[in-house]
Amino acid sequence: MTLRPDGPRPAAAPLLDTLSGPDTLRAVPASRLPGLAAEIRQFIGRAVPRQAGHLGPDLGLVELTLALHRVFDAPRDRLVWDTGRQAYVHELLTGRRDFTRRCRRSEPTWYAAPHGAVENARTATALSYADGFAKAHQLLGLRDRHVVAVIDWEALACGMAWEALNNLAASRDLPLVIVIHQAVPAPAPAPAADGLTDRRLLLRPAPGRAAPDPPGQSPADALPGAAAGTAGGITLVQAPPERARAGERHRPTPRSLFDDLGFGYFGPLDGQDAVALEVALRRAKALGAPAVVHCVTRGDLDPGPTAAPLGPARAPRPVEPASGPSWTSVFSEEMVRLGGEREDIVGITAAMSRPVGLEAFAKAYPERVFDVGIAEQHAVTSAAGLALGGVHPVVAVYATFLNRAFDQVLMDVALHGCGVTFALDRAGATGNDGPSHNGMWDMSILQVVPGLRVAAPRDGARLRALLREAVEVEDAPTVVRYPKGVVGVDIESVASVGGLDVLVRPRGVSRVLLVSVGAMARVSLEAAALLAERRVGVTVVDPRWVKPVSSALVGLAAEHELVATVEDNGRVGGVGSAITQALRDARVATPVREFGLLQCFCEHGSRDEVLAEAGLTAPCIAETVEDVLTPVDWPPLRGAS
């Protein structure tokens, strides 16, 4: 049995158009499923890529999704997808046709729909969600419900997945099915870097494990009689075996790790064989206990001639042509230069070497890059060990993903005074990446870490310079944060005061000190220009290093009527809050007006839309500052003297 790259072409009369939901799907004859799968691939390939990206490997989930909806009764049975991108076919089969609305502002989040269990924002969380759902069903006496968690093979590198598996292995009476989806690129890549994948410990099939059909199952329900084959170096089994019961563990044949944990294990199976998957899922469902169904699919399936190009699994969505270099590319180029100058600099990434800009460094210095998989916690503590061992690691991650490793930053890196640099890509408002990917939390969360320093470059030149300054620090962690998108032209300073870059000075009296944080420099300069037109003198400074608060900044604040801070971080606990506290500690009475992102989960939209909704535009900032400077003459209170 081999994985079929394309499958049959759709029939002239589209079967997809006749489906009104999972109920009608269950009535489709098994012989028509391959044609239906081809129709769905063409539909998804046309409808999704430009809006949502992440499509390539997930076209392989078509047959699996068909089988899931034919075996389980969703939404009565819970289907939990580990990431939203896995659910395109699920959404299509449960009513969605217009995928252009998926990322449109004001569109209700999909988890609110009957067939959506959760809005998953992080990889490797599905197993824990599913564990909770199944236990809730038990507590409520809902004994006729099942829970299914679909998780990608790569997510098994994440520690949270193993925490869930450890608990599920001890819950022998939970009716829960774990579906592991493994997309195999073509041609097959080099062996993976992690030991579990290298040795096939997790998913090693036992020779000759195929068992007779369970009682009550007719031969017609069995798998096709094709010979077992391979995909990407993985041996596929012809039929899903029965679960090994506790008293049947005497077999001399090798077993998978899931067998030894007590799970019913079915696979690895051909993920493009809907009938085989359906049989395996029915057997797993019948166990009434935690079971694993493992399917292997092609990651380069052809969605049809009209579809947009496919992309890798964990990579940024397609974007419109840029008008200049990106922040990520500037970081990438500077890392390569630093690597050539210093042999002690190494890079660490969590399954995202290309999106975070470490791919060029890896090509230049392959022995000095460590891709740990989707394991941010391990990445950070491993970086601490590297630093203690005498090298300087640069951990490059999306700003939002560092949230997963906060305790490691605090207790494993900062507590030990480790010289680790964190390069936070996609910091601030990322817009159409969705609420989970806005990097609006880091400057608030990291404020509480003793000794840690945070740099926010305003342009490409400052990104290069601050990255170099950061890797020179060997006794404390450093952070360099920068947004997504085109970096723009450099903004030069007109003066420097105590390490602060002065970007604008008024000709006359300066009433307002406007503190611009990182990429908000252009908006801050525009706001200062608008205020200058209204005869309000403004000095604009860029601290460069925003944590800790500079004593020079405190001194400048004391010379002004008002301090206004502008940052693309949440307003609560960010740079503005830190400056307010620093002034209070220094007994400086100058009031502070903080401009930042709304402390909420921002909707889909462009970066400009997200910033505008938070009032982070030049007109809004200028108007608010002017209002603060102009007291309102309120009428006296009745009875006041």
Side-chain angles (χ1 to χ4, degrees):
M1 180 169 57
T2 56
L3 298 182
R4 295 173 288 281
D6 297 313
R9 291 300 172 191
L15 179 58
L16 179 60
D17 292 346
T18 69
L19 300 181
S20 59
D23 290 339
T24 54
L25 172 63
R26 296 183 193 108
V28 174
S31 60
R32 299 197 64 184
L33 293 179
L36 176 59
E39 289 182 31
I40 291 173
R41 279 197 181 87
Q42 289 193 9
F43 182 95
I44 296 291
R46 290 192 302 267
V48 173
R50 291 187 180 275
Q51 285 78 30
H54 285 301
L55 183 64
D58 300 298
L59 285 175
L61 285 164
V62 175
E63 286 83 1
L64 172 63
T65 309
L66 291 173
L68 285 171
H69 277 289
R70 286 167 65 87
V71 173
F72 295 94
D73 182 17
R76 181 182 179 82
D77 294 328
R78 299 277 192 173
L79 302 184
V80 184
W81 305 87
D82 197 46
T83 59
R85 61 179 170 76
Q86 296 170 328
Y88 297 138
V89 182
H90 166 71
E91 294 180 12
L92 177 64
L93 294 175
T94 54
R96 173 158 288 186
R97 287 295 188 271
D98 183 4
F99 282 85
T100 63
R101 300 176 63 196
R102 197 176 197 269
C103 297
R104 188 175 298 168
R105 294 177 66 78
S106 300
E107 169 72 1
T109 48
W110 186 246
Y111 70 81
H115 285 275
V118 291
E119 173 93 347
N120 259 358
R122 291 290 184 266
T123 300
T125 58
L127 302 185
S128 298
Y129 277 124
D131 176 62
F133 277 131
K135 288 174 179 174
H137 289 169
Q138 278 193 338
L139 291 171
L140 297 175
L142 304 175
R143 303 292 179 180
D144 58 344
R145 309 291 177 90
H146 290 78
V147 180
V148 180
V150 181
I151 186 169
D152 281 339
W153 161 263
E154 292 81 6
L156 294 180
C158 184
M160 186 173 177
W162 287 99
E163 293 176 18
L165 287 169
N166 181 52
N167 278 268
L168 288 168
S171 303
R172 301 301 174 88
D173 58 345
L174 285 183
L176 186 148
V177 176
I178 299 167
V179 177
I180 297 174
H181 168 234
Q182 184 173 5
V184 179
D194 63 277
L196 291 174
T197 303
D198 263 353
R199 298 172 180 83
R200 309 291 180 204
L201 291 179
L202 287 182
L203 307 172
R204 177 179 55 202
R209 286 175 56 199
D213 293 331
Q217 179 171 290
S218 67
D221 295 327
L223 296 178
T230 62
I234 301 171
T235 302
L236 305 176
V237 299
Q238 180 178 359
E242 289 288 351
R243 181 176 186 263
R245 301 294 180 179
E248 301 171 357
R249 304 248 171 149
H250 57 276
R251 294 178 301 177
T253 53
R255 302 154 56 84
S256 77
L257 179 59
F258 290 114
D259 285 300
D260 291 330
L261 286 173
F263 291 97
Y265 175 64
F266 305 88
L269 300 168
D270 182 349
Q272 264 69 69
D273 190 330
V275 177
L277 292 171
E278 189 172 335
V279 172
L281 289 169
R282 291 191 187 282
R283 288 181 173 177
K285 178 182 178 181
L287 292 178
V292 173
V293 175
H294 170 219
C295 63
V296 182
T297 68
R298 283 285 293 273
D300 61 345
L301 290 166
D302 182 11
T306 61
L310 303 180
R314 208 180 190 208
R317 69 188 73 240
V319 295
E320 296 301 320
S323 57
S326 67
W327 292 89
T328 305
S329 67
V330 173
F331 164 78
S332 176
E333 293 168 1
E334 197 61 25
M335 276 294 293
V336 173
R337 293 191 188 97
L338 284 168
E341 298 169 13
R342 289 179 49 178
E343 294 183 355
D344 66 321
I345 290 182
V346 301
I348 300 178
T349 178
M352 299 189 73
S353 60
R354 183 171 65 84
V356 299
L358 278 182
E359 190 174 47
F361 188 90
K363 289 180 180 178
Y365 317 106
E367 301 302 318
R368 289 155 57 187
V369 169
F370 304 98
D371 188 340
V372 302
I374 306 173
E376 288 84 359
Q377 292 172 301
H378 167 67
V380 172
T381 303
S382 176
L386 284 163
L388 292 170
V391 299
H392 193 106
V394 177
V395 181
V397 296
Y398 282 8
T400 184
F401 292 150
L402 190 66
N403 300 353
R404 304 186 80 165
F406 170 73
D407 187 64
Q408 286 69 34
V409 173
L410 179 66
M411 294 299 176
D412 300 337
V413 177
L415 177 64
H416 295 87
C418 297
V420 176
T421 295
F422 297 94
L424 303 189
D425 203 324
R426 268 64 166 182
T430 58
N432 55 14
D433 281 338
S436 66
H437 278 50
N438 283 308
M440 57 178 286
W441 323 102
D442 58 291
M443 288 197 292
S444 299
I445 293 172
L446 297 175
Q447 286 290 343
V448 305
V449 180
L452 180 141
R453 301 177 60 192
V454 179
R458 66 179 179 269
D459 55 27
R462 258 45 63 176
L463 173 52
R464 295 184 181 93
L466 289 169
L467 179 60
R468 287 181 171 271
E469 292 178 28
V471 297
E472 291 295 327
V473 178
E474 300 294 353
D475 59 353
T478 53
V479 173
V480 182
R481 72 183 306 269
Y482 43 91
K484 170 187 176 182
V486 177
V487 70
V489 298
D490 291 339
I491 301 171
E492 300 302 332
S493 62
V494 298
S496 179
V497 177
L500 310 175
D501 281 352
V502 180
L503 305 185
V504 164
R505 267 181 173 163
R507 293 182 179 178
V509 176
S510 181
R511 301 180 61 192
V512 178
L513 179 65
L514 200 159
V515 182
S516 171
V517 177
M520 299 307 296
R522 286 179 176 78
V523 171
S524 299
L525 291 173
E526 292 171 6
L530 291 175
L531 287 166
E533 294 175 1
R534 302 171 189 178
R535 301 182 183 277
V536 176
V538 179
T539 297
V540 180
V541 296
D542 172 11
R544 299 173 73 251
W545 289 95
V546 296
K547 181 185 183 303
V549 176
S550 166
S551 59
L553 182 59
V554 174
L556 280 177
E559 301 171 2
H560 290 79
E561 296 178 40
L562 176 69
V563 175
T565 63
V566 183
E567 59 188 301
D568 57 350
N569 186 79
R571 291 182 61 215
V572 176
V575 175
S577 297
I579 291 174
T580 300
Q581 182 173 337
L583 297 186
R584 186 166 58 245
D585 291 346
R587 298 185 178 181
V588 173
T590 307
V592 180
R593 179 62 170 86
E594 300 147 357
F595 294 91
L597 292 174
L598 301 175
Q599 210 67 46
C600 65
F601 295 106
C602 302
E603 296 183 38
H604 280 285
S606 69
R607 174 178 165 86
D608 288 343
E609 286 176 328
V610 174
L611 294 178
E613 186 171 323
L616 291 173
T617 64
C620 187
I621 293 170
E623 182 179 354
T624 303
V625 167
E626 191 173 27
D627 289 344
V628 173
L629 290 173
T630 307
V632 177
D633 293 328
W634 296 101
L637 293 175
R638 182 175 301 175
S641 57

